[in-house]
Amino acid sequence: MNKDIFLSNSLGNKKEKFVPIVENKIGMYVCGPTVYDDAHIGNARPLVVFDILFKVLKCRFGNKSVTYVRNITDLDDKIINSSIEKKISIPELTKKITKNFHDDCMYLNCEKPSYEPKATENISLMIDMINQLLDNGYAYENNNHVYFQVNKFKDYGKLSNKNLDDLIAGSRVEISKNKKNPEDFVLWKPSKENEPSWESPWGKGRPGWHLECSVMSKKYLGDKFDIHGGGRDLIFPHHENEIAQSVCSSENHTFANYWVHNGFITISNEKMAKSQGNILKINDFKNKINGQVLRLALINSHYRQPLDWNDDLINQCQNTLNRWYESFVDVKKTILIPEEYLSPLYDDLNIPGYIANLHKLFEKSQKGTFKDKEIFVSACNFIGLLNQSKDDWLQHKKSKLDISEKEILDKINERNKARDNKNYKRADKIRNELLDKGVLIEDTDGKTNWKFK
Ligand SMILES: [Zn+2]
């Protein structure tokens, strides 16, 4: 197998061979959540996609060779507004939402990143970077604000393919009398009363949002590193501004080499938006569906493509996992996955291609030996599936049903009595009631067995 990894690079918009800066020291930074409200399934997609990229990189370059940094934005206008709305303090809110976010990650079976820095713990480094940008002539201060002067950076717009005229014509730039040019973006601003604030050379205030990722990626990965990831929606202005800040404050004038972006999620072909009332939170699924089903659904289309979320998708993934668990065996030792099966993952993280291979391995395992089952389960484990024992999987299925084991056995007894009394109508009714609750009964050799369908 060709062991080269290829990735679609948004910078330049083409698929490229991945060549690390240093083979055994790969750095990946992914923009993390703003902890003002619980994560929705749109937020869940990059979590799972970059979790799998992390696994693939570790598989190719070695477990200890990859550093994955994902930040927590715990300082933002949305957080301030949400704390007012919810009538709780900002630290209380961010602590609670961060905990929920970690629960969501566990539910989706995502590995912890190597580092998870918080914005509020890195303010002094942000002040340092602003000073550097002022010294280098890319930023200016006005009226307790500091702005990045976009027209000083000739590569601005390279990632998003936008030129300055497009930007100015667009409505996305914030108008302010403090700015030299409308496209300039804020690095530091004064805080209002009761808003979090820090002392700085430009008065008490707080940093602009984009700054934290430039600072925290540099802190853990250096001025230049390999992969920067996130959702497509972050390309402009967030990632464009990150590049401007990082490149213009560093001496070697580079930043991330590969920009990897995942596509959007739609809900039954509608855009997911607060105004549409169709925001699906990860938490909403927890009591109903096993996290593995959600995980499989989130990787159902290629990470760069849009993904439509609907009931059919969930049912299809539930059924796939039900079947796959038929071949479940407890894998205790490390089993190498045949390389020809891994190859789609090396080709721009083609997860659907890999899932097609999992189906092939499943078919083989059904007719095959214990070893074939071990290979199949290991291959599922590699992308974070079939990680629970069969009992745990069935347990979750049970808990999602409104029926206990005792109730099932009572119903079966009742049905057997009805059959003894030749009341077949009643017996069929009980059988169908159980079927409605997802319980299938089978009569063999005078005994009645049951299983979840
Ligand atoms: Zn970011």
Side-chain angles (χ1 to χ4, degrees):
M1 176 181 126
N2 183 352
K3 281 203 169 180
D4 291 334
I5 291 179
F6 286 82
L7 286 173
S8 283
N9 192 351
S10 304
L11 190 64
N13 210 11
K14 56 176 191 284
K15 193 157 93 176
E16 291 173 2
K17 181 174 154 181
F18 173 67
V19 184
I21 298 167
V22 182
E23 273 262 339
N24 62 355
K25 237 182 137 189
I26 292 161
M28 175 166 83
Y29 185 93
V30 177
C31 295
T34 301
V35 286
Y36 72 104
D37 198 1
D38 291 338
H40 54 68
I41 54 156
N43 308 125
R45 193 174 189 196
L47 290 179
V48 175
V49 164
F50 291 102
D51 182 55
I52 295 177
L53 182 55
F54 185 35
K55 292 178 198 309
V56 171
L57 291 169
K58 284 195 293 182
C59 170
R60 169 65 182 80
F61 295 98
N63 265 342
K64 293 204 168 85
S65 302
V66 191
T67 306
Y68 172 19
V69 182
R70 187 183 61 213
N71 66 306
I72 298 268
T73 299
D74 58 350
L75 174 64
D76 184 79
D77 287 344
K78 283 183 198 156
I79 293 174
I80 296 170
N81 295 339
S82 178
S83 97
I84 296 167
E85 222 172 83
K86 294 187 165 86
K87 295 192 176 73
I88 57 171
S89 73
I90 289 173
E92 261 179 290
L93 172 73
T94 56
K95 199 175 160 198
K96 178 172 167 266
I97 304 290
T98 302
K99 189 196 168 292
N100 294 354
F101 171 73
H102 287 150
D103 290 348
D104 291 344
C105 291
M106 249 171 56
Y107 169 65
L108 292 168
N109 196 26
C110 293
E111 273 182 69
K112 281 186 183 154
S114 322
Y115 298 99
E116 201 177 45
K118 292 186 176 123
T120 52
E121 292 169 0
N122 290 281
I123 304 289
S124 66
L125 289 176
M126 296 191 216
I127 292 173
D128 291 348
M129 190 174 273
I130 297 172
N131 272 322
Q132 195 66 56
L133 288 166
L134 285 163
D135 285 352
N136 294 358
Y138 289 100
Y140 59 90
E141 186 202 352
N142 189 11
N143 198 16
N144 301 112
H145 291 70
V146 185
Y147 289 99
F148 185 95
Q149 190 168 342
V150 167
N151 63 13
K152 292 239 168 153
F153 177 46
K154 64 174 176 20
D155 281 343
Y156 194 83
K158 218 173 159 188
L159 178 71
S160 54
N161 271 318
K162 286 181 193 289
N163 62 37
L164 276 188
D165 293 339
D166 292 344
L167 285 177
I168 296 161
S171 56
R172 301 187 70 163
V173 290
E174 183 207 346
I175 306 296
S176 164
K177 61 177 179 4
N178 296 315
K179 289 183 184 182
K180 280 189 187 169
N181 308 298
E183 69 275 15
D184 296 347
F185 62 87
V186 73
L187 299 169
W188 190 266
K189 59 185 175 185
S191 297
K192 291 185 201 130
E193 219 180 306
N194 298 328
E195 285 182 358
S197 65
W198 286 262
E199 296 289 350
S200 84
W202 321 285
K204 270 185 102 172
R206 58 194 168 102
W209 167 47
H210 312 296
L211 197 58
E212 65 178 86
C213 290
S214 285
V215 162
M216 294 191 280
S217 59
K218 181 184 168 123
K219 179 176 175 180
Y220 294 97
L221 304 172
D223 278 335
K224 58 175 184 176
F225 57 93
D226 297 293
I227 299 171
H228 194 311
R232 284 202 76 74
D233 52 326
L234 296 178
I235 294 178
F236 185 83
H238 183 54
H239 289 165
E240 202 69 75
N241 292 355
E242 274 189 44
I243 294 175
Q245 296 160 156
S246 294
V247 170
C248 298
S249 64
S250 84
E251 304 220 325
N252 60 23
H253 290 269
T254 59
F255 189 37
N257 281 344
Y258 301 85
W259 285 82
V260 180
H261 291 105
N262 65 271
F264 294 117
I265 286 190
T266 52
I267 309 290
S268 302
N269 293 314
E270 301 259 354
K271 194 178 171 221
M272 183 166 59
K274 216 171 185 177
S275 55
Q276 300 269 0
N278 61 357
I279 302 252
L280 297 175
K281 304 253 177 83
I282 300 169
N283 197 29
D284 297 339
F285 294 95
K286 277 188 192 145
N287 292 327
K288 295 181 238 160
I289 293 172
N290 189 298
Q292 291 189 65
V293 178
L294 238 67
R295 187 171 172 103
L296 183 58
L298 286 163
I299 50 179
N300 189 61
S301 70
H302 191 274
Y303 77 90
R304 282 168 57 81
Q305 300 301 320
L307 171 70
D308 189 50
W309 193 267
N310 52 60
D311 288 346
D312 284 350
L313 173 67
I314 302 289
N315 290 337
Q316 180 202 321
C317 293
Q318 175 80 52
N319 291 337
T320 298
L321 286 162
N322 286 347
R323 279 212 73 203
W324 284 1
Y325 261 98
E326 289 170 17
S327 273
F328 183 86
V329 287
D330 210 359
V331 182
K332 291 208 167 68
K333 52 185 191 281
T334 314
I335 305 280
L336 283 180
I337 305 156
E339 290 198 335
E340 71 264 31
Y341 288 99
L342 276 178
S343 61
L345 292 176
Y346 282 40
D347 182 14
D348 197 17
L349 204 67
N350 178 5
I351 306 171
Y354 185 71
I355 293 172
N357 284 345
L358 290 180
H359 283 292
K360 284 184 205 156
L361 285 172
F362 170 73
E363 293 306 329
K364 210 170 156 198
S365 74
Q366 287 275 285
K367 291 172 261 160
T369 60
F370 186 79
K371 174 96 188 159
D372 290 322
K373 288 192 168 67
E374 281 186 322
I375 293 173
F376 167 67
V377 173
S378 299
C380 289
N381 288 166
F382 184 65
I383 56 163
L385 297 171
L386 263 57
N387 55 306
Q388 294 169 306
S389 70
K390 198 166 185 172
D391 281 350
D392 286 346
W393 167 257
L394 292 174
Q395 197 57 45
H396 197 102
K397 285 183 72 182
K398 278 185 213 169
S399 64
K400 121 183 196 275
L401 301 167
D402 300 329
I403 190 160
S404 68
E405 195 164 339
K406 187 183 174 300
E407 285 170 306
I408 295 170
L409 294 175
D410 287 348
K411 285 274 175 200
I412 290 174
N413 270 337
E414 202 187 324
R415 174 173 169 269
N416 286 345
K417 273 185 201 146
R419 281 166 37 131
D420 288 346
N421 297 331
K422 300 204 177 352
N423 186 351
Y424 296 111
K425 211 172 153 187
R426 173 81 192 130
D428 281 349
K429 195 167 173 259
I430 294 168
R431 181 197 196 95
N432 288 335
E433 278 171 13
L434 285 170
L435 204 58
D436 281 346
K437 298 201 175 212
V439 178
L440 190 67
I441 51 177
E442 284 166 341
D443 303 304
T444 34
D445 304 329
K447 260 185 76 187
T448 306
N449 297 314
W450 67 271
K451 64 176 186 182
F452 290 109
K453 64 172 180 174

